[in-house]
Structure formats: C-alpha cells, structure tokens
C-alpha cells in the first residue's frame, strides 16, 4: 500500500500537449500509471499520445472518471489551472510547475480550504509509489517497493536518498516532494499523518532544508503524537551563508528563522534520528526498525 | 528582487504613505543642491545599498548644513560598506538619499508579508521599531503582533484599531495608522511584493507619522506581469553573472571558496555544500541546474566556473532524473571545456538516469577526469585536488 496514490489512481494531465507535458505523461504511462487523458483548452476532442484531450478538467473528470491531476501548465497560468482542478473536485492535484507567483499560491490555498482536494506542490517532483503509480518528474531508476515512506522538499536529493535506501534493502511505500516554494500544498505534518496511518509504512524519512518552519512544525507534531513508527531525518544547508538565498524560494528566512541547526535540534528533541549526510540515513533507519 | 530605499519610497509615496522630504543624489554637488532645496535645517545622508545594518556600519549620517551634506555624500559615494548582510568586500555605494531629518517621539515597526504556515497576507507591527530590531525580535518574538488579512486585502476599522492600539499607537493617530496599513497592503498586492517593511515608522515630536526607512522585496516570479518595474535601478544591482545564469535556467550564487560545483537540484546542492564544508573544503559557488535547462545552457553555466580564476577544481555531482539525465550534463561539460582554454582537474560523480551512458560518453570524448565512487569520495578527491 501507499499514501495519496494507489493501483486505482486514474490520472489526467493538465498541459499535456506542451513539451514537458508530453514528456512526463509518456514517462508516467511507461511506468504503468493509468493515464486517462489530458486537458488543453481548445484541443478538446483531439487525441495526444493515444489519449483523449478535453477542454476543461470538469469534462475530463466526467468522461474518464479520473481521480488525480498532474499540472504541468506554465507558471503564469498554473494557479488558474490548479483552481480549475479544485473546482472540479479532483481528489489529488500534483503541480510540478516552478516559479509560480507567491500571491497566486495564496489564492490557490484559499481555494483549497474546505475543498475536496489534496494538493502536492507546486515546484514539486510529485508522488511515487514504486511499482504502482508515478505522478511527477522524479527519477525512478533506483526506486524499489518497500515499507519506508519518504517526504522531502527537494527532487534530486530525494532520488539520492531513494537510491541509498534501496541499496540497503529498504524499499519505499511512497515518496513525496512537498515542493520548494514558500506557500505550497501538503506539508511535512500532513504527510507524516498519512504515513503514520498507512499500515504498510513502517518507518519515515524526512528530508528538510534551511528556511521556513515546517521542520520545526513536524518536530512539534512528532513530539505530541509519540508515534510508534521511527523517523529518520536529514536537514541540508548547515553551511549555507545565512543572508544569501540558495535555490528554493522557501529558504528565504524572515527574522532569522529556519536555520539548519534549530531544525536539527527540534527534530532530535522529538525523537527523530538525524543523519549528517545521505549515506547515514539507511543505517539509522535500519537500526531504528530493529529496535521497534 | 530587493529594492533600494529610494525606489521603495517612490512606490510607497504613490500610494500616499507619508515620508520625510527626500531625494536621491549621485554626486556630492548634487547632494548639496538637494539639501539646499529642502525645508528644514537638519539632514540625513543615507548610503543606498541593498543590505541591512547600514546605520551601524556608518552608512547613515546626520548633517546640519547643506555643505556638510555634500561633504558626507562625497565620502560615502564610491566607498564600500560592509555590514553583516553583505559579502566581506562590502557593497559599493553609487547613490545617497538625502532626507530631512525628523525628531522622533516614538519608533514603530510595520511590515506586510505572507505567513507561510497559514498562506495569508499578514500585517506585522511592533512598538519597538528602530535600529537592531531583528536582534530584539530574535531574543523575544512576543514584541511583534500579527494581523491576518483576507484575500481581498480589506481590513475592518475595528480590527485595525485593535491591532494598532495593541502596539501602542496613541488614539489620536489611529486614523492615520489605518490609512498607512491599508496602503501598505495595497502596494503589496498590486506590486506582487513578498515583503514591505517600514522601520522605523516614526511618530515625530510635532505629532505626525512618517516612514523614515523602508525595505521592499518584489517577487521575482511575478516580474513578467510588471513591466513598470523593468527600469528600476535595483535590477541593475543584481549580480550580472548570477542573472545570466538565471536566464540559462541555473540558480547560481557565487561564494568565496576554490571548488567549482556543478549540481542539479537545490537540495542536492545544499547537501554537497554541507559535505564539502564538513570535510574541510570550500565551495566557489552554489549551483542548482533546473530540470528545464538544455545542455547548451548548462555549458554556459559551467563556463562561468571555468572563467573564475579562484576555481582550482570542478566537482560534478549529478543525480539524473526527469528531463535532466546525466548525459545532458556531460554533454554540457564537454562543450564548456572545448570553449575554454583553461584545463582544470575534474571530479565526476554521476548517479540515476543514464549515469553509465554518460560516463562512457566522457571516455569517448577523451575528457580526462577523476571518477568518484559516491559523493563522499567525490568530495574528498575535490578537496585534495584543490589544495
């Protein structure tokens, strides 16, 4: 089993006919994801990659029974595309698009409140249940099915973690990228909730980085919940110069919050095992699973 | 994009936020002339750099006469100011802002930003504005109050009054405070800002409120819909090389070490930097190749490292995936090396999609390199070669 996606996930791709839409829709199908069709205003009735195209998300959902959408729409139209999917009550929306304006995401978050949708991203590599379903742009080369849940803010670092876990014989139930933007969909806490409730996940790896306060929030949640499942964590950016912005917009800190050391301290205090580098994660997790 | 104080104030003035009289100057003579034309007989001369902490670094000085304004401006212009927020060599002062000095009765702090946890616009306020505000907040975060603002940006009178009274606004100034708050939120939304900060918002001895210093940050991701900001001087202050890399779909930040780093993804880039530092090495840059970058664009990014004289070795740490398989980066590397006259030792560590294929490609192109087994090994080799 897995979280957010499973064998019954039926996907539509918003922005399917673009360069990246075509590329990733094709890759998802090759991986075995059930792709029902695509959405591209003005191209309804046509076909792309052998699948039907629709003018609107509502049309696509009604005609195909899709229950998930992958949004690969360019940044200036991405928020509108996400809101369209929310209004069509798509249960899972995954947005990969980078560089969406922050105030657009504020509108998206307001639309999500009280809706029937769960959103992953934007600026996320997506959700992967190895061997079952891929919604996103992540590498699948080294992913193996297994009992470890992985939640992270960064794509290529997740691939690195996945590879080292698989090599150590620790396959994954689901890997999720919550995205690198300051305002985004599901966060660490929501993913921890889902993993803790998933009977087939026995341990969780959390990969954080400088900026924001989500690692601290995750730590507070873990402390209050006292979960039976072990959590291993890695927080990167210990040596990033404090005042300069590195990569993810989420790393912009206001009032000096969000440095790596405070995150590491909070996670340790909540009982998580904190690794100093990717290579240490499998050992920490194996050790934790042995004790539990 | 961070704005200079004078550009932030120009925008705030358009929305009716009260400011002391002031103008920007680029020479000592101009600064003196600006002061002569201004009312009042006390002036502040303020170096225009992006970084905070100017005041304590000598970047804000008071003058009693226009000729003194000219003298101070002459000293500041062309100098470099170093604050905790600049690089060690400091920021070059190309402009000064000359302003009528106000006598403060009380200094407030007002700011607008998006609270990440609730995804709502928030007005922040404090009775303890002024120099060193960040340090005071770090010690005691309760000195700041927050007021969440609805999506449309409206703030009810009662909410505004309660908020302002809570941070010690005198009753007589509530109406003006409300106007300032609302104007700030309006600028924030209309300009697609990510931060507007007025510190201090000064209540003067003669009983008026004015924004003595202002910081404003625009959302880089929104600049496409703001042609009105293309002419800002602030955009010229962005590091040219880093800006060029941005256009090539690469997030680049130049640092002061000697190991040039080529990495895809921000998280992996931060992880690489941590491992380098833990093992005693120093990165010359932070590089995050975005998934949309082509090999030609990546080649230009690697070219920046090859052209940097302090770079002694190049460390490639790529985890192929999505639209950036390893061969894209290797293709780029071969191109960049062909363009450059410089021969630097290369340490290569590839994983993920097309890693084997890309390594074979390196051999076929006869690119001499040190092949690393894992990131730890790559980092150790790079540090040795840079020594």
């Amino acid at each position: 089993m897995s979280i957010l996606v499973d064998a019954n996930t039926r996907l539509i791709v918003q922005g399917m006919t673009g360069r990246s839409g075509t590329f990733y829709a094709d890759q998802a199908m090759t991986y075995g994801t059930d792709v029902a069709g695509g959405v591209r205003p003005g191209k309804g009735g046509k076909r792309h990659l052998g699948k039907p195209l629709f003018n609107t998300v509502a049309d696509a959902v009604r005609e195909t029974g899709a229950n998930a959408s992958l949004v690969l729409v360019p940044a200036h139209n991405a928020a509108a595309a996400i809101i369209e999917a929310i209004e069509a009550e798509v249960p899972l929306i995954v947005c990969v698009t980078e560089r969406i304006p922050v105030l657009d995401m504020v509108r998206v978050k307001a639309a999500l409140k009280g809706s029937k949708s769960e959103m992953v991203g934007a600026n996320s590599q997506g959700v992967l249940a190895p061997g079952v379903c891929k919604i996103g742009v992540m590498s699948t080369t080294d992913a193996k099915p297994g009992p470890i849940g992985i939640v992270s803010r960064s794509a290529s670092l997740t691939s690195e973690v996945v590879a080292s876990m698989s090599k150590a014989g620790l396959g994954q139930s689901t890997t999720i990228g919550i995205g690198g933007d300051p305002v985004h969909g599901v966060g660490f806490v929501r993913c921890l909730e889902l993993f803790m409730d998933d009977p087939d996940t026995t341990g969780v790896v959390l990969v954080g980085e400088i900026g924001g306060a989500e690692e601290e929030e995750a730590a507070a949640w873990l402390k209050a919940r006292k979960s039976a499942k072990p959590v291993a964590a890695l927080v990167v950016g210990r040596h990033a110069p404090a005042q300069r912005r590195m990569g993810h917009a989420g790393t912009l800190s206001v009032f000096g919050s969000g440095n790596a050391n405070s995150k590491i301290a909070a996670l340790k205090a909540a009982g998580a095992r904190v690794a100093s580098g990717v290579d240490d994660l499998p050992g920490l997790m194996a050790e934790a699973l042995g004790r539990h | 994009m961070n704005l200079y104080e004078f550009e932030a104030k120009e925008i705030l003035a358009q929305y009716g936020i009260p400011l002391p009289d002031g103008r920007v100057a680029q020479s000592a003579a101009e600064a003196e002339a600006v002061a002569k034309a201004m009312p009042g007989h006390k002036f502040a001369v303020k170096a225009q750099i992006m970084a905070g902490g100017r005041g304590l670094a000598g970047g804000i000085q008071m003058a009693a006469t226009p000729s003194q304004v000219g003298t101070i401006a002459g000293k500041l212009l062309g100098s470099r100011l170093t604050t905790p927020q600049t690089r060690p060599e400091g920021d070059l002062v190309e402009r000064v802002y000359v302003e009528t000095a106000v006598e403060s009765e009380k200094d407030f702090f007002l700011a607008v930003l998006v609270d990440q946890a609730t995804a709502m616009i928030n007005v922040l306020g404090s009775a303890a504005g002024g120099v060193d505000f960040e340090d005071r907040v770090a010690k005691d975060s309760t000195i700041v109050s927050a007021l969440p603002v609805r999506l449309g940006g409206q703030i009810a009178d009662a909410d505004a009054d309660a908020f302002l009274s809570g941070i010690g606004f005198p009753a007589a100034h509530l109406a003006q405070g409300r106007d300032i708050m609302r104007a700030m939120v309006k600028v924030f939304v209309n300009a697609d800002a990510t931060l507007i900060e007025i510190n201090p918002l000064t209540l003067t001895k003669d009983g008026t409120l004015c924004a003595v210093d202002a910081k404003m940050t625009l959302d880089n991701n929104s600049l496409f819909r703001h042609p009105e900001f293309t002419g800002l001087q602030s955009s010229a202050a962005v590091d040219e090389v880093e800006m060029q890399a941005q256009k090539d779909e690469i997030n680049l930040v130049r640092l002061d070490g000697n190991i040039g780093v080529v990495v895809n993804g921000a998280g992996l880039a931060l992880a690489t930097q941590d491992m380098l530092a833990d093992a005693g090495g120093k990165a010359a840059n932070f590089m995050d190749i975005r998934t949309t970058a082509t090999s030609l664009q990546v080649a230009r990014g690697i070219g920046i490292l090859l052209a940097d004289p302090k770079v002694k070795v190049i460390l490639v740490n790529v985890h192929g995936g999505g639209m950036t398989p390893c061969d894209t980066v290797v293709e780029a590397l071969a191109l960049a090396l062909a363009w450059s006259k410089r021969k630097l030792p290369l340490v290569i560590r590839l994983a993920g999609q097309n890693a084997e294929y890309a390594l074979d490609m390196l051999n076929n192109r006869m690119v001499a390199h040190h092949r690393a087994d894992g990131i730890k090994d790559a980092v150790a080799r790079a540090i040795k070669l840079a020594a």
Side-chain angles (χ1 to χ4, degrees):
Chain A
M1 261 285 285
S2 46
I3 67 166
L4 294 170
V5 297
D6 58 28
N8 298 317
T9 299
R10 194 159 157 74
L11 183 72
I12 52 165
V13 180
Q14 290 176 255
M16 191 191 197
T17 56
R19 177 172 167 258
S20 55
T22 303
F23 183 87
Y24 292 119
D26 183 57
Q27 280 212 333
M29 284 189 267
T30 307
Y31 196 75
T33 305
D34 177 10
V35 177
V39 177
R40 172 66 169 80
K43 291 197 179 166
K46 297 200 165 93
R47 295 182 79 81
H48 187 64
L49 301 174
K51 303 289 178 186
L53 291 175
F54 301 91
N55 286 325
T56 66
V57 177
D59 287 352
V61 168
R62 193 177 54 245
E63 297 295 323
T64 67
N67 53 18
S69 178
L70 172 60
V71 181
L72 287 165
V73 172
H76 60 282
N77 284 329
I82 296 166
I83 289 171
E84 187 190 343
I86 296 168
E87 287 174 354
E89 302 187 347
V90 178
L92 175 67
I93 303 165
V94 177
C95 183
V96 167
T97 308
E98 294 180 40
R99 295 187 175 184
I100 299 178
V102 176
L103 287 179
D104 287 9
M105 287 308 297
V106 168
R107 280 200 297 130
V108 166
K109 288 288 279 189
L112 277 168
K113 240 167 246 170
S115 77
K116 293 185 173 147
S117 302
E118 193 109 65
M119 172 173 164
V120 175
N123 189 8
S124 152
Q125 80 268 24
V127 184
L128 175 72
V132 180
C133 180
K134 170 188 176 174
I135 305 181
V137 302
M138 69 290 281
S139 164
T140 52
T141 319
D142 300 297
K144 298 264 186 307
I148 307 299
I150 298 179
V151 57
S152 126
R153 280 169 64 182
S154 166
S156 54
L157 185 57
T158 311
S159 303
E160 205 65 54
V161 171
V162 165
S164 82
M165 298 299 281
S166 290
K167 204 171 158 192
L170 294 165
Q172 305 88 44
S173 60
T174 316
T175 75
I176 302 166
I178 62 171
D181 288 349
V183 176
H184 54 83
V186 296
F188 281 141
V189 168
R190 177 66 183 137
C191 292
L192 285 173
E193 273 172 11
L194 291 166
F195 276 132
M196 295 306 171
D197 289 342
D198 174 31
D200 294 321
T201 298
T202 57
V204 183
V205 173
L206 184 150
V207 184
E209 62 184 63
I210 43 172
E214 278 201 61
E215 290 80 2
E216 287 88 342
E217 287 159 22
W221 186 87
L222 284 171
K223 210 168 191 175
R225 162 97 178 211
K226 291 190 181 67
S227 160
K229 295 180 188 177
V231 174
L234 172 65
V235 179
V236 296
R238 285 178 286 117
H239 294 282
Q243 303 293 346
R244 311 218 40 208
R245 173 170 159 173
M246 302 273 163
H248 289 148
T251 59
L252 180 74
S253 62
V254 176
F255 299 147
S257 75
N259 76 55
N261 292 333
S262 76
K263 291 171 187 298
I264 290 169
L267 286 163
K268 276 186 178 161
R273 288 162 171 79
V274 180
S276 59
V278 173
D279 295 350
D280 305 330
L281 276 172
L284 287 179
M285 182 50 80
E287 185 190 272
L289 288 171
R291 277 189 205 162
H292 273 77
Chain B
M1 182 171 70
N2 294 326
L3 299 190
Y4 285 120
E5 176 194 7
F6 76 95
E7 287 184 323
K9 283 183 166 173
E10 268 169 31
I11 296 172
L12 295 179
Q14 285 164 21
Y15 286 78
I17 290 172
L19 305 161
D21 267 313
R23 260 185 60 194
V24 71
Q26 282 179 281
S27 69
E30 194 187 351
E32 188 174 339
V34 164
K36 267 184 190 148
M38 272 181 351
H41 44 265
K42 216 177 156 200
F43 309 94
V45 186
K46 303 158 96 177
Q48 296 299 289
I49 58 169
M50 300 289 183
R54 285 184 303 178
L56 294 175
I60 299 176
Q61 295 185 31
M62 307 312 272
T65 64
S67 78
Q68 216 179 343
V69 167
T71 309
I72 293 169
K75 280 187 190 142
L76 285 174
L77 287 164
S79 72
R80 285 187 170 274
L81 267 188
T82 305
T83 85
Q85 295 183 19
T86 63
R87 292 196 220 188
E89 71 266 26
D91 282 3
L92 179 67
V93 181
E94 293 179 281
R95 291 175 191 79
V96 292
Y97 192 67
V98 182
E99 200 170 60
T100 305
V102 296
E103 282 199 76
S104 168
E105 177 70 36
K106 192 165 171 48
D107 285 340
F108 295 96
F109 167 95
L110 270 189
V112 183
L113 48 72
V114 173
D115 175 53
Q116 296 186 17
T118 57
M120 287 176 86
I121 296 171
N122 272 221
V123 179
L124 301 184
S126 175
V131 181
D132 269 349
F133 179 69
E134 283 87 349
D135 290 343
R136 287 200 292 280
V137 176
K139 282 187 201 107
D140 179 10
S141 62
T142 62
I143 65 171
V144 183
S145 312
L147 176 69
V149 180
R150 258 181 244 273
L151 198 58
Q154 295 90 347
I155 306 171
D157 280 359
D159 292 341
D161 288 356
F163 174 78
L164 290 169
S165 303
I167 62 167
F169 251 69
H173 295 282
L174 286 179
Q176 203 190 356
R178 284 200 300 261
D179 289 345
I180 293 173
M181 273 169 74
R182 286 174 177 146
M184 285 173 76
V185 171
K186 197 160 185 204
V187 181
F188 188 84
V189 173
N190 288 2
D192 266 312
T194 54
L195 175 72
I196 297 175
E197 183 183 307
I198 297 178
N199 183 30
L201 174 68
T202 296
L203 177 60
T204 63
K205 289 232 156 75
D206 47 16
T208 59
L209 280 165
C210 65
V212 171
D213 195 4
K215 284 198 181 72
M216 187 161 166
T217 307
L218 301 176
D219 183 356
N220 287 341
N221 295 344
S222 301
L223 290 175
F224 70 88
R225 59 190 180 199
H226 292 285
E228 74 272 25
F229 296 142
T230 45
L232 289 178
Q233 294 300 329
S234 304
S235 60
V238 179
D239 185 306
E240 230 170 90
V241 172
E242 294 178 4
M243 200 59 169
Q244 184 50 50
Q246 270 296 331
K247 285 184 188 141
D248 280 329
E249 305 286 312
I250 292 167
N251 297 319
L252 181 85
V253 179
R254 292 198 285 175
L255 304 168
D256 49 8
N258 58 4
I259 300 171
V261 191
V262 178
V263 189
N264 65 325
L268 187 57
L270 289 172
T272 308
Q273 201 178 17
D274 283 351
M275 289 176 78
L276 268 176
D278 285 343
K282 271 194 122 178
N285 67 288
F286 167 94
M287 181 186 285
D288 159 23
I289 301 168
R290 297 147 59 83
T291 180
T292 38
T294 65
S295 53
L296 192 65
Q297 290 176 315
V298 178
R300 285 198 288 261
I302 297 172
I304 293 171
L305 306 186
L306 285 167
D308 182 346
K310 64 180 193 302
V311 173
K312 299 284 178 257
V313 55
I314 289 186
L315 165 62
V316 178
N317 181 23
V318 168
H319 199 113
M323 284 168 97
T324 313
C326 292
D327 49 300
T328 302
V329 179
V330 162
E331 187 81 59
L333 186 63
L335 256 179
L337 290 168
W339 291 339
S340 170
K341 291 196 176 70
R342 211 158 159 226
K343 293 239 180 306
L344 284 178
L346 300 171
V347 178
I348 311 278
R349 186 272 171 170
L350 303 175
Q353 206 184 337
N354 296 0
E356 293 278 328
Y357 171 58
L359 287 169
D360 289 345
M361 232 167 93
L362 267 181
N363 290 334
N364 293 343
R365 298 283 181 98
M366 295 197 293
V367 175
H369 63 276
H370 302 261
R371 188 176 298 190
D373 180 26
I375 309 183
K376 261 189 190 154
D377 182 38
V379 161
R381 280 166 185 258
I383 291 171
K384 220 171 175 183
L385 289 162

